[in-house]
Amino acid sequence: MTTRFVLRATACAAALLASLGASAADVVISQVYGAGGNGGALLKSDYVELFNRGSVPQSLNGWSLQYASSSGSSWTNMLVLSDVTLQPGQYYLVRLATNASGSGSDLLDYNQSGSIPMAAAAGKIALVSNTTPMTVTNPANPRLATLLDLVGYGTGTNGFEGATGPTPSISTTLAAFRAGNGCTDTDNNAGDFTVATPAPRHMNSPLNVCSGGGTPALPIVPACPASASLTFGAGGSIPLSASDADGIVNGATITSAAVPGLSLGALTAAGAIGGSASVSLVAAPNVAAGTYPVAVKFTNGQGQNASCTVNVSVELAAGTVLPVYQVQGSGATSPFAGVKVTTEGVVTAKVGSGYFIQDATGDGDPTTSDGMFVYMAASPVTVAVGDLVRVTGTVTEYKPSGATRSYTELASVTSTVVQSSGHAIMPQNIDLLGTNLADVEGMLVRLNGELTVNANESLGSRGELTLAVGRREIPTNRYAPRSAEAIAMAAANAANMITLDDGIFVTPATVPYIGEDGTVRTGDTVSGLTGVIDFGALGSGGAGFKLQPTETPVFSRANPRTAAPDIVAGNVRVASANVLNFFTTFVDGKDVTGASGQGCELGGKISASNCRGANNMQEFVRQRDKIVAKLKAIDADVVGLMEIQNNGDYAASYLVDALNTAYGKVEYAYVPKPVATGTDAIRVAMIYKPGKLALVGNALSDANAVNDRPPMAQTFKANNGAKFSLIVNHLKSKRCSGASGANADKGDGQSCFNGDRMAQAQQLVNVFVPQVKAAAGDDDVLLIGDMNSYGMEDPIQIMTAAGFENQLERFVRPVTMPHSYVFGGESGYLDHALASTSLSAQVAGATEWNVNADEPEVLDYNLEDKNAAALALYNALPYRASDHDPVVIALNLDATYSDVTAGMLVQRAGLVQSRGSSVATGNVWVTNNSGAALAGPVHYLVPGLPAGVTLANASGAVNGVPYITVAPSLAAGAQVAFQVKFNNPAKAAINYVPQVLTGSF
């Protein structure tokens, strides 16, 4: 028998060498499918099937498959075929581009894999005798010497064999088939191919020897059970065998992914041609419970192979009840993941989609949790807290979107039997810091000590609060980015968080944890929390550990609301306020006048979709009333505004009118906009009190291309004559859409577009500030606004390096953590006040009024995504008027004049007014008795004149009081004489108490 085999193989080799050209042409493309993974596709993969229609074996070594589009001449998509010998009548299946998550079934039993992405309906696929890419549109006309076969498929394809055209179009449900099961080849694609449901064939498919072909080598025939069951912990073996009618099977290997404890024993090769080889698939006792598809490949001396797959199930013995801690295991995942088990525990809590159980005694091992969640999906939860239940289901590793770990739970429950009732589990005392919550997942615990609310943005939408030990500060708020301190703080913050949930997992019908005063604020505290440790998706995004409370939490208002900012008085109060998209044009296309068809401008285009604030008039009124209440409580003399609609001065003037209505008098005016306000839909603006401050010159802005929202500057003069310049800023956002290069997130805590913010900061301090100082003739400059940079980030360091002092670090940091914004459960300040060196000495105080960032979003003006209970929480108080807290700065500006009346001797002669004159005159003598010279100028003020009486020879007025400048200076003991003239048409009695001031106004 052996001699006959060798002689036949030698004869085949000789025939191959003698007729290479003819046999090569007999290997053809027999089937084509290009819609793998598309919507509605039957298979996830494209494929090409090759077929040897000749009478001798043919090696594919050195050949390639090449693909081009239906109209293309570029054949750069190429797959080099394996060194395989194809027997007469044998198929060869090449899997091409695969969409693992796409539509259709997996393509199994292919012989070679590639990544050529074929078009679904029309294209060109060629079998070529070398690996040089072709460069012609139709290699069959004229035919290239290297072309073995060409199939142009689908309507419109410009490359094909024959004169009548390509194959019919294929699709998600149709493949192109060569007639005769691959045997027909008239070099005419249109005539040789039909379309039908994909049915790929491979090397182990039955041979299809064409008429006149030779005798093919017969295949290996494996004999393996499709499935086998083993008992968990017992081990065992599964016998396998294979035979070959014209060969000797002499090898076997496992080709599927390795499974610890599963291996092949020693192979007993076939004793002769046609004999059977045998081997055992051996399972050790430590093989984890589960189902494993084990693929075994058998080989012979002819270079053939054949595979079989055994689905090995390692199952628990009937009636086995595993304790919860054994199901949980000590690893990151359960050793029984995917296995149907029965376990037993006491019900400790019921939540919206299931319940928690815990072993009554536990195993005392801190690395194995004694509790777990039983997921009931939509099935009703009929058990009660305190029930001892025996439950059967499949162990599942639940991994919510955004999670980096999974959570062991029991799902697909088939049986729940209450064994007894009235049991109680004592909660385990744990500290949040230093506890690996994975070790107590599903367990009833009591969190020792006091926890602080660190975020409440998901309170209304998911009933969640983020808790930590103390308040977590954004690392770059306190330390320089990339510093060791910032990196250490980020790691500490990550380990210091748990979410308090409400057990519902959807929007709660009633917002939980709200106190009698209608809020629960970031910074408030709670002690002695008791509940079960859960893990799941968070309303704020991502996933994390949660506590589902079993006792009602009681919060302490450790961070109480205040009715107004707490700050020293000073003589000028400045505020920075982000008004969160205060638009007088709404998303619904209407505006405050009721006009329809309106829009907001962005980049020169006007559309309602560019509007960012209130959706409609109802929301706008709610927004306006909160903002007005906030600004009135701040009562600043000048306010820098961010995120106000960029529609000229209209939105700013509307806000001023609403604010004056709330005061019941004209208190505020808006600063007329500068020439450039940018192309964004929002801009910065200023409003001020004309009774306290006067405008000096016009507003300026910096229209440099680096500023998408140009900073705005205005110089003011206070009633004591002092000047200062205010610059309002709104730097580039941290959002990452479109960020690249220097603006990409560097992973240093500064997020995206830090490159732009640094450039804006440099432009501000190096170019714009000098321009403002020069125009004002004064060095006193205050920078305020939303810098979109936390306290120690690069843009702020650029400003402080230029000589501007950070007033929040100066006044707030020594007392508490400065913060105006909460993001990701961490607090920091994006809103700043930085004073030039000359002005910093005149800053009496600075603070943040935490009226917004610490409040739940559910209290804001928005109407969407809120149920009736959430909407009922709204009021027109200032709390949650925006997402940023305002910054308030008290200035004690040095006066440019002083009152020296006490040191002056003022002597006045009686006024003289003739019967026919309306002017009354009189002489005045002022003597400097102060003992010191007055540098001057010296001014004589005449306050309290009767109605209708004016000072006719006044030099001007200061704070509404007319004055006469009487001397450039006045030495000690010197006297100056001058005359006063009054317009007094009614001849009223003129009585006043004069003042003497020295200095400039």
Side-chain angles (χ1 to χ4, degrees):
M1 292 295 288
T2 303
T3 301
R4 185 187 66 80
F5 169 74
V6 172
L7 289 175
R8 190 173 73 80
T10 303
C12 289
L16 175 62
L17 293 172
S19 57
L20 180 61
S23 63
D26 283 336
V27 176
V28 294
I29 297 170
S30 53
Q31 194 176 159
V32 177
Y33 179 69
N38 291 2
L42 300 180
L43 295 168
K44 295 182 184 295
S45 304
D46 300 345
Y47 67 82
V48 170
E49 178 190 281
L50 303 180
F51 175 64
N52 185 358
R53 58 186 294 275
S55 59
V56 297
Q58 175 61 57
S59 171
L60 308 184
N61 185 33
W63 293 6
S64 65
L65 277 177
Q66 299 187 22
Y67 172 79
S69 66
S70 61
S71 60
S73 61
S74 175
W75 297 78
T76 54
N77 286 313
M78 182 176 69
L79 173 69
V80 177
L81 294 172
S82 298
D83 184 10
V84 170
T85 296
L86 206 58
Q87 301 296 326
Q90 193 171 29
Y91 297 95
Y92 188 77
L93 184 60
V94 180
R95 185 184 74 169
L96 298 178
T98 297
N99 181 359
S101 61
S103 178
S105 303
D106 291 327
L107 181 61
L108 304 175
D109 297 321
Y110 54 88
N111 304 115
Q112 187 173 346
S113 180
S115 59
I116 295 174
M118 297 173 62
K124 295 176 289 195
I125 189 78
L127 180 62
V128 184
S129 65
N130 62 19
T131 58
T132 302
M134 299 184 294
T135 58
V136 295
T137 300
N138 188 357
N141 187 20
R143 192 176 190 95
L144 297 181
T146 57
L147 180 68
L148 300 175
D149 195 19
L150 170 68
V151 177
Y153 63 92
T155 303
T157 297
N158 62 6
F160 45 83
E161 288 186 339
T164 55
T167 76
S169 292
I170 61 178
S171 67
T172 55
T173 58
L174 295 175
F177 287 79
R178 185 178 290 277
N181 287 324
C183 291
T184 302
D185 185 16
T186 65
D187 291 333
N188 179 4
N189 288 167
D192 290 347
F193 281 84
T194 58
V195 294
T197 302
R201 295 159 291 199
H202 48 83
M203 291 185 75
N204 290 328
S205 296
L207 297 178
N208 174 42
V209 180
C210 301
S211 177
T215 302
L218 298 175
I220 298 172
V221 180
C224 307
S227 61
S229 296
L230 300 173
T231 300
F232 174 73
S237 63
I238 302 162
L240 313 175
S241 65
S243 61
D244 182 359
D246 61 355
I248 295 176
V249 179
N250 55 12
T253 56
I254 295 176
T255 57
S256 54
V259 176
L262 281 179
S263 62
L264 285 179
L267 174 77
T268 301
I273 292 174
S276 180
S278 61
V279 67
S280 291
L281 179 59
V282 179
N286 66 342
V287 177
T291 299
Y292 309 101
V294 181
V296 178
K297 181 173 73 174
F298 292 93
T299 57
N300 64 11
Q302 298 166 272
Q304 293 176 291
N305 66 78
S307 297
C308 62
T309 298
V310 182
N311 288 300
V312 179
S313 295
V314 180
E315 301 175 348
L316 299 173
T320 301
V321 179
L322 294 176
V324 172
Y325 49 78
Q326 191 172 345
V327 176
Q328 282 279 9
S330 59
T333 59
S334 169
F336 297 92
V339 179
K340 186 175 183 179
V341 304
T342 299
T343 188
E344 189 173 271
V346 175
V347 177
T348 54
K350 296 168 62 176
V351 293
S353 57
Y355 58 94
F356 292 85
I357 60 173
Q358 186 165 331
D359 189 85
T361 56
D363 65 347
D365 183 349
T367 67
T368 57
S369 171
D370 297 331
M372 70 184 306
F373 180 57
V374 180
Y375 177 62
M376 297 299 292
S379 300
V381 178
T382 58
V383 298
V385 172
D387 286 349
L388 177 64
V389 297
R390 181 169 293 178
V391 56
T392 302
T394 301
V395 179
T396 303
E397 289 296 325
Y398 169 60
K399 189 174 184 180
S401 176
T404 58
R405 66 177 306 278
S406 61
Y407 181 74
T408 304
E409 61 185 29
L410 203 63
S412 302
V413 173
T414 58
S415 172
T416 303
V417 179
V418 176
Q419 306 294 303
S420 55
S421 299
H423 301 274
I425 297 290
M426 291 297 295
Q428 178 175 323
N429 291 309
I430 65 170
D431 296 314
L432 180 58
L433 295 180
T435 297
N436 181 0
L437 295 179
D439 292 341
V440 290
E441 67 177 36
M443 289 180 62
L444 183 66
V445 302
R446 176 176 288 110
L447 285 161
N448 297 325
E450 182 180 84
L451 297 179
T452 300
V453 177
N454 273 255
N456 50 22
E457 74 270 27
S458 300
L459 182 62
S461 60
R462 289 287 297 270
E464 295 175 351
L465 291 172
T466 300
L467 306 178
V469 177
R471 189 151 189 167
R472 306 192 311 165
E473 185 172 10
I474 288 173
T476 53
N477 199 62
R478 187 179 187 92
Y479 300 113
R482 303 170 294 276
S483 66
E485 294 87 351
I487 294 169
M489 178 177 277
N493 284 355
N496 180 22
M497 190 184 84
I498 191 169
T499 296
L500 175 63
D501 204 354
D502 64 347
I504 298 177
F505 310 134
V506 294
T507 300
T510 301
V511 181
Y513 311 131
I514 292 288
E516 293 181 359
D517 51 356
T519 190
V520 55
R521 286 167 54 87
T522 301
D524 289 343
T525 59
V526 61
S527 298
L529 275 178
T530 301
V532 290
I533 298 296
D534 192 8
F535 183 87
L538 302 178
S540 56
F545 283 102
K546 306 180 183 183
L547 184 86
Q548 302 294 351
T550 55
E551 297 178 10
T552 302
V554 178
F555 288 87
S556 298
R557 188 69 73 240
N559 181 26
R561 287 172 167 175
T562 58
D566 183 12
I567 190 170
V568 297
N571 54 21
V572 172
R573 178 175 289 192
V574 182
S576 170
N578 183 312
V579 290
L580 188 57
N581 296 316
F582 183 79
F583 277 56
T584 54
T585 311
F586 314 137
V587 176
D588 66 1
K590 296 182 179 181
D591 65 17
V592 290
T593 70
S596 301
Q598 304 301 300
C600 301
E601 186 171 1
L602 175 64
K605 296 181 180 180
I606 298 176
S607 169
S609 63
N610 295 332
C611 301
R612 304 179 185 175
N615 290 333
N616 48 49
M617 189 66 185
Q618 184 182 3
E619 278 195 347
F620 174 75
V621 170
R622 291 160 60 97
Q623 179 189 28
R624 177 201 66 198
D625 290 351
K626 277 190 170 290
I627 291 173
V628 166
K630 177 180 70 174
L631 295 178
K632 187 172 184 291
I634 296 172
D635 198 34
D637 301 316
V638 57
V639 184
L641 303 172
M642 285 68 65
E643 294 195 27
I644 192 166
Q645 186 177 353
N646 191 1
N647 59 347
D649 284 324
Y650 188 83
S653 66
Y654 183 97
L655 181 58
V656 163
D657 291 343
L659 193 53
N660 287 338
T661 298
Y663 273 91
K665 60 180 179 178
V666 176
E667 189 78 12
Y668 282 92
Y670 64 87
V671 176
K673 70 178 184 64
V675 174
T677 58
T679 58
D680 200 349
I682 55 176
R683 72 176 183 99
V684 297
M686 292 187 218
I687 62 174
Y688 73 107
K689 290 183 177 181
K692 296 290 294 291
L693 298 172
L695 305 183
V696 179
N698 297 321
L700 303 175
S701 63
D702 184 1
N704 186 281
V706 74
N707 294 315
D708 54 344
R709 295 183 288 256
M712 174 182 177
Q714 177 65 57
T715 302
F716 295 94
K717 179 180 282 190
N719 288 340
N720 65 359
K723 288 195 302 184
F724 74 101
S725 296
L726 182 67
I727 303 180
V728 184
N729 302 269
H730 191 183
L731 301 191
K732 182 73 174 180
S733 166
K734 289 179 178 285
R735 294 186 181 92
C736 287
S737 176
S740 62
N743 283 320
D745 191 339
K746 305 301 182 185
D748 59 0
Q750 300 186 93
S751 193
C752 295
F753 290 101
N754 193 52
D756 277 1
R757 288 192 295 275
M758 291 173 65
Q760 289 172 332
Q762 290 163 344
Q763 175 73 14
L764 175 65
V765 297
N766 295 332
V767 179
F768 191 47
V769 166
Q771 291 174 355
V772 172
K773 286 183 177 181
D778 188 87
D779 287 341
D780 292 348
V781 176
L782 182 63
L783 307 178
I784 63 171
D786 177 2
M787 306 295 186
N788 273 310
S789 305
Y790 292 107
M792 296 299 147
E793 292 186 357
D794 296 335
I796 307 306
Q797 295 195 33
I798 288 171
M799 297 178 198
T800 56
F804 284 88
E805 186 172 357
N806 188 327
Q807 302 303 311
L808 295 182
E809 290 295 322
R810 177 185 175 192
F811 288 101
V812 180
R813 175 73 71 185
V815 179
T816 187
M817 176 201 303
H819 75 279
S820 67
Y821 197 72
V822 176
F823 180 77
E826 297 177 326
S827 300
Y829 64 103
L830 298 172
D831 305 86
H832 293 260
L834 301 109
S836 62
T837 302
S838 60
L839 182 61
S840 187
Q842 303 172 71
V843 176
T847 191
E848 299 149 323
W849 187 26
N850 301 129
V851 68
N852 295 322
D854 289 344
E855 297 284 344
E857 284 185 15
V858 71
L859 304 183
D860 68 17
Y861 71 86
N862 290 284
L863 296 171
E864 69 266 24
D865 302 324
K866 291 179 181 175
N867 56 26
L871 290 172
L873 295 174
Y874 173 84
N875 56 49
L877 297 174
Y879 310 105
R880 200 63 193 186
S882 175
D883 53 347
H884 290 246
D885 289 328
V887 175
V888 186
I889 308 98
L891 302 178
N892 259 335
L893 297 176
D894 297 333
T896 58
Y897 58 85
S898 58
D899 188 336
V900 294
T901 305
M904 300 297 113
L905 173 62
V906 179
Q907 297 168 294
R908 295 182 288 171
L911 297 174
V912 177
Q913 182 173 359
S914 64
R915 181 173 295 178
S917 174
S918 63
V919 177
T921 62
N923 294 320
V924 179
W925 298 266
V926 175
T927 305
N928 181 1
N929 287 343
S930 66
L934 300 181
V938 180
H939 313 281
Y940 181 79
L941 276 67
V942 183
L945 292 176
V949 178
T950 60
L951 181 62
N953 61 336
S955 301
V958 58
N959 300 330
V961 179
Y963 66 87
I964 303 170
T965 302
V966 298
S969 61
L970 196 60
Q975 185 182 80
V976 60
F978 54 93
Q979 191 176 63
V980 291
K981 296 181 180 181
F982 296 98
N983 289 319
N984 185 16
K987 296 182 174 57
I990 300 176
N991 294 306
Y992 64 91
V993 178
Q995 290 177 279
V996 180
L997 304 182
T998 182
S1000 59
F1001 300 137

